Amino acid sequence: MFTWVLEYGLPFIVLLSIIVFAHEWGHFWFARRNGVKVENFAIGFGPELFGITDKQGTRWSFNIVPLGGYVKMLGDADATSATADSSIVGQLSESEKKQTLHSKTPWQRIQVAFGGPLANFVFAIIVMIILFAAYGKPITPPVIDYVDPAGIGAKHGLVANDRIVSINEEPIQQFEEILPYIRSGKFKELNIKVERQGKQVDLKIPLTEKILGIRQSPTMEFKKIALSSVISESFSTFWLMSKAIVVGLGELITGKRQGKELGGIGSIASMAGESAKIGMGAVLWFMILMSINLGVLNLFPIPVLDGGQILMTSIEWIIRRPIPEIVQKIIFGTGFAMVIALMIYSTWNDLLRFKVFQIIRGWLPL
């Protein structure tokens, strides 16, 4: 257990904290820029471990549960900044009321909500430029790390450590190039050539499902690119990655992809630990992936998320009056329930993926 904490838990906490800090800094910067008083800038939830208070009265703290963070502003009902607490606002002086988020114009509040995802995107692009210049562009080799015994890949001959050489006579250079053949709907059967123990093996796999049941190897290779192309390549890669996240979520919603592909905290911790083992280049790439994911997901118009707040504030702007408080509470309560349900589902997937129940059963006396 102690070894697991060092290899996976510690990298996960450190890297997640950096990404969360970037996100919350975006909210913080736009809040301060628009004259909103920030009471607390926290990394983690629950009781405070340690912190400092700056000259403007903001408490910067690290809390005991390192699974996120928040920026709480003056007059907020809670850390989501979704609604104001009328009992708190009622006790403020007129000058203090002007420093609350909910006293600001809709455009100012939209800026504050959008600031978090924007900071994630800027952070990702900056780190990507550094990574591409120092190491090159990461490429995931088309090597299979794990094959689901119940998947169609296993049923038709794919095994762990196979390196996919070509599909339908088209060469495959990286793992991501496999996905279009599976999900495009253009192919009913794949002719796959793999390299196995120094020999090439030909396989035919009928696409009865849009998932082969394989997992990519955690190894990583880097393709050198010209320094003159680093910035443009970073922006184009950022766009493609953002688009892939949106498309992937759309496929999950429409049922084109299976929900069991969703990973939770355990999967993220596993990725963080594997990245730390590979080296600094992989660590930077992990932070880029997670930062873009966090930014894109927060822009979805789900109440409680930043996108939900942007949507609600935009509606208020259009109808030119605040949405009734009871309606806001119902909407945000529903959004909170949706987010919690998704977290529980992804955590359940992790428990099954990492065979936690089998491990616990092995600890129990027969």
Side-chain angles (χ1 to χ4, degrees):
M1 177 63 74
F2 182 71
T3 302
W4 186 92
V5 171
L6 288 179
E7 291 185 354
Y8 295 96
L10 186 59
F12 166 69
I13 291 172
V14 172
L15 298 180
L16 181 66
S17 296
I18 293 172
I19 296 162
V20 169
F21 181 87
H23 182 90
E24 299 303 335
W25 176 265
H27 292 311
F28 171 81
W29 190 86
F30 276 97
R32 283 260 179 106
R33 183 176 181 272
N34 284 285
V36 178
K37 182 178 180 180
V38 179
E39 293 187 318
N40 194 196
F41 187 123
I43 300 298
F45 299 99
E48 179 182 313
L49 290 174
F50 59 90
I52 59 172
T53 302
D54 65 20
K55 294 180 180 179
Q56 294 186 335
T58 300
R59 182 68 178 175
W60 300 72
S61 64
F62 281 87
N63 298 344
I64 196 167
V65 183
L67 299 178
Y70 61 89
V71 168
K72 187 175 185 301
M73 303 167 209
L74 180 64
D76 288 349
D78 51 53
T80 67
S81 299
T83 57
D85 188 327
S86 55
S87 63
I88 295 177
V89 174
Q91 298 177 6
L92 300 176
S93 66
E94 289 304 313
S95 61
E96 288 175 326
K97 288 179 181 179
K98 293 179 181 179
Q99 298 180 66
T100 64
L101 175 64
H102 299 278
S103 70
K104 302 301 178 180
T105 66
W107 171 236
Q108 288 175 311
R109 282 181 278 146
I110 288 172
Q111 289 180 53
V112 175
F114 183 67
L118 178 62
N120 278 129
F121 298 151
V122 172
F123 174 81
I125 291 171
I126 291 173
V127 175
M128 203 180 298
I129 291 171
I130 295 171
L131 175 65
F132 287 5
Y135 293 90
K137 186 175 181 178
I139 295 177
T140 305
V143 177
I144 300 173
D145 179 60
Y146 169 78
V147 180
D148 183 351
I152 60 173
K155 292 177 181 178
H156 294 87
L158 287 175
V159 298
N161 298 319
D162 276 353
R163 185 183 186 100
I164 297 177
V165 177
S166 66
I167 297 180
N168 294 351
E169 299 183 357
E170 293 291 333
I172 300 296
Q173 302 295 330
Q174 58 191 73
F175 197 90
E176 290 77 9
E177 294 174 351
I178 301 170
L179 301 180
Y181 289 94
I182 303 169
R183 296 172 181 162
S184 66
K186 297 178 181 178
F187 307 98
K188 294 183 178 179
E189 183 179 76
L190 300 182
N191 295 310
I192 300 181
K193 186 186 294 292
V194 302
E195 185 178 299
R196 182 183 299 166
Q197 297 179 349
K199 298 179 181 180
Q200 291 194 344
V201 180
D202 293 311
L203 302 171
K204 287 188 177 181
I205 301 180
L207 284 180
T208 54
E209 300 178 29
K210 289 191 176 182
I211 179 171
L212 292 182
I214 60 176
R215 185 174 65 206
Q216 67 192 49
S217 169
T219 57
M220 186 175 292
E221 299 171 0
F222 293 91
K223 179 182 178 182
K224 289 291 184 180
I225 57 177
L227 287 176
S228 58
S229 302
V230 164
I231 294 178
S232 61
E233 189 70 23
S234 297
F235 275 92
S236 63
T237 301
F238 164 76
W239 170 249
L240 291 174
M241 291 171 67
S242 301
K243 182 180 177 182
I245 293 168
V246 174
V247 171
L249 287 170
E251 290 176 343
L252 284 170
I253 294 170
T254 58
K256 292 182 178 179
R257 294 177 66 177
Q258 297 182 1
K260 66 181 182 180
E261 294 182 54
L262 280 174
I265 294 171
S267 294
I268 299 173
S270 177
M271 291 173 59
E274 294 297 336
S275 299
K277 290 178 183 179
I278 295 171
M280 181 55 67
V283 167
L284 294 177
W285 187 241
F286 170 81
M287 288 198 293
I288 291 166
L289 288 171
M290 292 307 301
S291 192
I292 295 176
N293 269 276
L294 182 60
V296 171
L297 292 176
N298 265 281
L299 284 178
F300 272 68
I302 299 174
V304 178
L305 300 181
D306 297 325
Q309 294 192 39
I310 292 171
L311 176 62
M312 296 286 288
T313 306
S314 298
I315 292 172
E316 178 186 329
W317 198 356
I318 292 169
I319 65 176
R320 297 188 177 185
R321 64 178 182 273
I323 297 173
E325 187 174 342
I326 184 64
V327 175
Q328 291 188 50
K329 288 182 178 180
I330 292 172
I331 292 174
F332 283 103
T334 303
F336 181 75
M338 290 172 61
V339 171
I340 293 299
L342 184 62
M343 290 177 63
I344 292 173
Y345 181 69
S346 61
T347 301
W348 176 260
N349 284 344
D350 281 349
L351 293 175
L352 298 178
R353 184 177 293 118
F354 296 109
K355 300 180 179 179
V356 174
F357 296 115
Q358 290 91 323
I359 293 172
I360 294 174
R361 191 179 298 119
W363 291 345
L364 299 176
L366 296 176

